[in-house]
Amino acid sequence: MATGILKVKGEQLVDGEGNVVILRGAGIGGWMNMENFITGYPAHEHEHRAAMLKVLGKESYEYFFDKWLEYYFTEKDAKFFASLGLNCIRIPFNHRHFMDDMNPGVLKVEGFKHLDRVIKLVSLLEWKGNKAGTVERVMAND
């Protein structure tokens, strides 16, 4: 199991004890950063959201996007990633989940709800080591 913070040593990535770590991962693209080249809708996230708000109204819009963020990546997805022998997950996100452009420096606490949930999901799994046998679990909260 990798320990400590990962760092570069020469041309290798090592853990806190100097053990070589090989990252094998995937990304959750299109989730907290709705990229039109992944999802296929013809707009940037803020434009897509504005159109959805206009059509759905505030209550249905908020419900839709809350469920989008909840169901896009679930415990089943985390278990599937782990079953592939992956030991890291890239989570791209749009800053607008966490701050308002009109109120710079003010954090939106509600934006962390789904990000925290996914981090907990992946940190509770036993990540199997790759052929180098160096990583069992990453992103632990301890």
Side-chain angles (χ1 to χ4, degrees), residues 2-3 5 7 25 27 34 39 45 52 56 62 64 68 72 76 80 82 86 98 100 107 111 116 118 122 131 137 142:
T3 60
I5 296 174
K7 61 184 176 181
M34 298 170 65
T39 58
E45 181 171 349
M52 295 285 285
L56 296 175
E62 288 177 358
F64 174 84
W68 166 276
Y72 194 97
K76 286 182 182 181
F80 174 70
L86 305 181
F98 309 105
D100 185 333
L107 292 179
D116 287 348
V118 168
V122 299
K131 297 231 183 225
R137 192 175 89 176
D142 34 84

Side-chain angles (χ1 to χ4, degrees), residues 5-14:
I5 296 174
L6 301 180
K7 61 184 176 181
V8 175
K9 183 177 180 183
E11 293 185 7
Q12 296 180 317
L13 191 61
V14 297

Side-chain angles (χ1 to χ4, degrees), residues 46-64:
H46 69 279
E47 296 164 325
H48 181 74
R49 284 177 172 267
M52 295 285 285
L53 178 60
K54 185 176 179 180
V55 170
L56 296 175
K58 186 172 174 57
E59 186 177 334
S60 294
Y61 165 88
E62 288 177 358
Y63 178 82
F64 174 84

